[in-house]
Amino acid sequence: MSAPTTSETASATGRPVSEREARQVAEAAREQHWRKPSFAKELFLGRFRLDLIHPHPLPDEEDVRRGEAFLAALRDFCETKVDAARIEREARIPDEVIIGLKELGALGMKIDERYGGLGLTQVYYNKALALVGSASPAVAALLSAHQSIGVPQPLKLFGSQEQKDAFLPRCARTDISAFLLTEPDVGSDPARLATTAVPDGDHYLLDGVKLWTTNGVVADLLVVMARVPESQGHRGGITAFVVEAAAEGVTVENRNSFMGLRGLENGVTRFHRVRVPAAHRIGPEGAGLKIALTTLNTGRLSLPAVCAGAGKWCLKIAREWSGAREQWGRPVAGHEAVSAKISFIAATTFALEAVLDLSSQMADEDRNDIRIEAALAKLYGSEMAWLMADELVQIRGGRGFETAASLAARGERAVPAEQILRDLRINRIFEGSTEIMHLLIAREAVDAHLSVAGDLIDPGKSLTEKARAGVRAGGFYARWLPRLVAGAGQLPGTYPQFHPAGHADLAAHLRYVERASRRLARATFMGMSRWQGRMETKQGFLGRIVDIGAELFAMSAACVRAELLRSQGDHGHEAYRLADVFCRQARLRADELFARLWTNTDAVDRDLVRAVMEGAYGWLEEGVVDPSGEGPWIADAAPGPSQKENVHRRIR
């Protein structure tokens, strides 16, 4: 279910790639096997495996002690050293803040202690990002890009011992890292990657241009994805390299500016005949995309961490403001139109934290395959956090649209509501846009089907291969389909532990999840039967399938978290109420999505867009002026020496 491309695409910089080749590259990069159980995978198959997440996994006591100690130090640093208003005003994180983070050990939160890092668990790393993100999302982005997708994580998973010994101590304390994949004409279709790494003895010569290099402006070490041409003794393919940012031929040509995250050190980096030692290649040639995707399996959890933290802040501001602001003789929180928004923010914040903590703890335990869970957390967190911030701006009214600096100038509390809306917007694009996440998750969700019936809908397979696939598919569906008819969700007394006396009834919500899981699986099967090989083009259908799965996963996580808190005597009644309200809201969203699987405007939308692109509605664009500047839609990124000043800066 890779993103479709045009049948033949090319540009001044991107490689010409057929639709089939693009699909093959994406398919080869994904993990092909499921060696461990996956709650979310089972959910999409109609099997509600509550036993995989309940009882809620718990961290080790020593991990908690070390994690809480670091969070206390980090909180003090954020409260005393991080001036969010200054970062927003100057569009830059002060060097002294980054130096302070280095001294605190924040660059090495996820790096093992043997290399000078703190060795925090995924749970506490994410708690730290949520905390830092509440102080300044730009600082959280710097730390996340460095550790979640920068040099430390791919080396931890795929690096040689020599590479770990050489680079991890630097990353833990002194050196900032960045991840470079995107190019001016290459986004979510890596088959078109144009940056090359040509073998030259015991080195590679790196040439190309990379765009949107988060941390790239200040980085000391880079993970660069480049294409090695196939040749004698070289299998070639997209390959990962560790590159010194100070190497000759590396030029940061521009520091980019954005609508939000104004302190982000994101730029354009050009490589011209940069000599990279072969010893700095991560893994074998051709393994670069697999390394990147595997790194993101847990790396994606950094974004929902920031989103959960944003939800907490939105709730705090909404509560305080709605109690102080009066309209028509009562606080605005007393008006139903506003209270519904506060309820949504509170319930959704609880669910986002539940999804984050559950996924993170499962990552730490390493008992389950969480590739779908992490992707769902990223997708759901980024979408729901944006909605919560938008509701906060609405609750604040005109003050929500006004900048914090303007509020302060006229004597009111400097609440950066409009800023958080701008800062959160990129999360729906970062590390896989919502649309791409829908396709990636959908591909994993239907993996079981494609493994047994994929050859039936593959036009490149022979009749003999299709016949064998038919036999396999017949056996699989003969066993699988009958199990989707009935289940535990239809029995009133199921999951009794989630309805303790005096608490909200969460068992009913889990029964809904079980029933909806089977309904979702039936819908997926019906879609595959109906569209077969054209299934991957039905992106509206696939997106709704994934969004339903995200709601069901969030409901499950919220219920399990509420029961954990109740069993620990930690706000149990309140947690059950939050989970109950969230599940009620989520069920309405899921039911609407189910209805839209088969009743929608997808077909007429496609017809209309085809006509729009053919120019039939050019008259509709008349009567306005276009304030856009001159220039090409995509900048020329042909390889060659840089003609610009190097704006890279080192922080020491």
Side-chain angles (χ1 to χ4, degrees):
M1 296 296 171
S2 58
T5 63
T6 56
S7 59
E8 197 72 14
T9 53
S11 75
T13 54
R15 298 171 63 250
V17 174
S18 69
E19 182 177 354
R20 185 172 182 82
E21 182 183 351
R23 186 183 298 111
Q24 288 173 339
V25 169
E27 184 64 18
R30 60 177 289 274
E31 181 64 43
Q32 300 291 323
H33 304 289
W34 295 85
R35 299 180 178 85
K36 299 174 184 176
S38 166
F39 173 79
K41 175 182 177 247
E42 294 293 306
L43 196 68
F44 280 107
L45 284 171
R47 298 189 286 251
F48 180 48
R49 291 286 307 278
L50 184 62
D51 60 294
L52 293 177
I53 61 173
H54 174 72
H56 194 294
L58 294 172
D60 180 80
E61 290 184 5
E62 176 59 21
D63 291 335
V64 172
R65 185 194 64 77
R66 292 191 299 110
E68 292 294 338
F70 176 72
L71 287 182
L74 184 62
R75 172 177 288 277
D76 179 70
F77 181 87
C78 289
E79 291 176 341
T80 60
K81 304 298 183 184
V82 178
D83 185 344
R86 178 185 174 187
I87 294 172
E88 178 70 7
R89 182 173 62 252
E90 298 179 357
R92 175 165 293 178
I93 303 170
D95 286 4
E96 58 267 26
V97 171
I98 299 177
I99 292 171
L101 289 169
K102 292 181 179 183
E103 294 172 348
L104 196 63
L107 291 189
M109 286 187 283
K110 287 188 69 179
I111 298 175
D112 195 280
E113 291 175 288
R114 79 179 86 166
Y115 302 111
L118 299 180
L120 297 185
T121 62
Q122 185 74 38
V123 168
Y124 275 96
Y125 170 67
N126 287 336
K127 288 181 182 293
L129 289 180
L131 176 61
V132 172
S134 66
S136 169
V139 176
L142 182 142
L143 292 175
S144 173
H146 166 66
Q147 292 173 86
S148 298
I149 58 175
V151 170
Q153 189 68 8
L155 283 192
K156 174 184 176 181
L157 297 174
F158 299 98
S160 67
Q161 190 58 53
E162 291 75 16
Q163 290 171 336
K164 293 176 182 178
D165 292 338
F167 296 119
L168 290 184
R170 293 169 57 183
C171 292
R173 291 289 175 178
T174 60
D175 289 16
I176 298 171
S177 69
F179 174 77
L180 281 63
L181 171 63
T182 304
E183 298 176 0
D185 199 23
V186 178
S188 298
D189 183 9
R192 305 179 65 243
L193 197 77
T195 298
T196 59
V198 178
D200 182 31
D202 58 356
H203 285 72
Y204 290 84
L205 292 181
L206 196 63
D207 284 276
V209 178
K210 294 295 185 179
L211 176 63
W212 297 324
T213 60
T214 299
N215 286 0
V217 179
V218 297
D220 304 286
L221 292 170
L222 314 171
V223 175
V224 181
M225 296 293 166
R227 183 180 301 280
V228 177
E230 186 177 352
S231 63
Q232 182 73 30
H234 293 274
R235 61 172 292 184
I238 298 174
T239 306
F241 299 89
V242 177
V243 180
E244 297 278 358
E248 184 177 353
V250 180
T251 305
V252 178
E253 295 188 330
N254 193 65
R255 182 180 186 268
N256 303 324
S257 300
F258 303 98
M259 68 180 287
L261 293 182
R262 287 172 51 78
L264 199 67
E265 296 290 354
N266 179 294
V268 177
T269 302
R270 177 179 292 271
F271 301 94
H272 177 59
R273 297 188 66 79
V274 179
R275 292 184 63 80
V276 180
H280 289 189
R281 186 189 69 218
I282 307 175
E285 291 181 356
L289 283 183
K290 181 165 288 190
I291 289 172
L293 291 179
T294 304
T295 296
L296 282 172
N297 280 345
T298 54
R300 282 199 174 99
L301 291 175
S302 61
L303 286 185
V306 173
C307 291
K312 289 173 177 285
W313 183 81
C314 288
L315 178 59
K316 177 180 184 295
I317 298 300
R319 174 182 57 80
E320 293 177 351
W321 166 251
S322 299
R325 173 64 163 167
E326 291 191 1
Q327 290 279 276
W328 298 307
R330 67 173 72 173
V332 294
H335 295 284
E336 191 172 276
V338 174
S339 67
K341 299 179 186 300
I342 299 173
S343 173
F344 167 73
I345 294 173
T348 305
T349 295
F350 178 80
L352 287 193
E353 188 169 39
V355 166
L356 176 68
D357 280 2
L358 178 61
S359 300
S360 300
Q361 189 59 48
M362 288 196 294
D364 285 330
E365 289 194 344
D366 199 28
R367 287 190 296 112
N368 292 356
D369 186 323
I370 66 157
R371 72 182 88 162
I372 299 182
E373 287 84 346
L376 287 173
K378 189 275 177 188
L379 169 69
Y380 197 72
S382 60
E383 289 292 325
M384 300 306 276
W386 163 259
L387 291 175
M388 287 190 289
D390 188 56
E391 293 288 38
L392 174 65
V393 168
Q394 193 71 17
I395 291 170
R396 287 275 290 162
R399 290 173 174 83
F401 192 67
E402 190 173 2
T403 67
S406 178
L407 289 165
R410 58 184 188 77
E412 291 193 2
R413 185 177 299 184
V415 178
E418 61 84 29
Q419 180 188 333
I420 196 171
L421 191 64
R422 290 186 288 105
D423 287 343
L424 285 172
R425 184 60 182 84
I426 188 58
N427 291 338
R428 298 172 64 199
I429 301 171
F430 260 169
E431 297 181 21
S433 69
T434 291
E435 293 73 24
I436 293 300
M437 295 306 298
H438 278 151
L439 298 179
L440 291 177
I441 297 169
R443 172 61 186 88
E444 299 295 353
V446 301
D447 184 56
H449 300 280
L450 294 180
S451 65
V452 298
D455 288 354
L456 284 172
I457 59 177
D458 188 341
K461 298 298 182 181
S462 67
L463 290 177
T464 301
E465 290 171 317
K466 289 180 180 291
R468 283 199 294 264
V471 173
R472 289 197 307 271
F476 173 78
Y477 290 119
R479 295 187 302 273
W480 180 67
L481 286 172
R483 298 173 183 172
L484 302 182
V485 176
Q490 293 165 291
L491 302 176
T494 314
Y495 316 119
Q497 66 270 43
F498 287 89
H499 191 190
H503 292 70
D505 183 6
L506 300 187
H509 298 310
L510 292 179
R511 290 194 292 271
Y512 172 89
V513 173
E514 195 278 336
R515 296 193 305 272
S517 173
R518 287 184 284 110
R519 183 182 178 188
L520 184 63
R522 292 194 301 268
T524 304
F525 175 75
M526 289 171 63
M528 291 193 66
S529 301
R530 178 176 177 179
W531 294 303
Q532 299 183 28
R534 293 182 295 121
M535 177 81 157
E536 69 176 16
T537 69
K538 305 300 179 181
Q539 295 178 4
F541 178 85
L542 292 173
R544 295 177 197 111
I545 287 287
V546 170
D547 286 340
I548 293 169
E551 296 287 2
L552 300 183
F553 178 43
M555 289 176 65
S556 304
C559 292
V560 169
R561 179 175 179 80
E563 174 56 20
L564 171 67
L565 295 178
R566 186 200 68 82
S567 67
Q568 294 178 332
D570 190 8
H571 306 294
H573 281 279
E574 296 86 353
Y576 258 68
R577 176 180 294 178
L578 284 165
D580 177 51
V581 173
F582 171 77
C583 288
R584 291 172 185 269
Q585 295 172 356
R587 287 172 69 162
L588 292 175
R589 292 191 293 266
D591 285 342
E592 180 183 353
L593 287 164
F594 270 121
R596 290 177 57 208
L597 285 175
W598 311 110
T599 305
N600 52 64
T601 62
D602 293 350
V604 295
D605 291 342
R606 287 193 299 272
D607 291 342
L608 177 61
V609 170
R610 188 177 299 112
V612 167
M613 299 308 295
E614 291 172 352
Y617 298 98
W619 53 269
L620 192 59
E621 301 167 11
E622 296 174 1
V624 299
V625 295
D626 183 356
S628 306
E630 297 295 324
W633 286 106
I634 299 171
D636 183 20
S642 179
Q643 305 299 317
K644 297 184 178 181
E645 176 187 357
N646 189 357
V647 298
H648 178 265
R649 61 188 182 92
R650 303 190 73 182
I651 299 174
R652 287 287 184 265

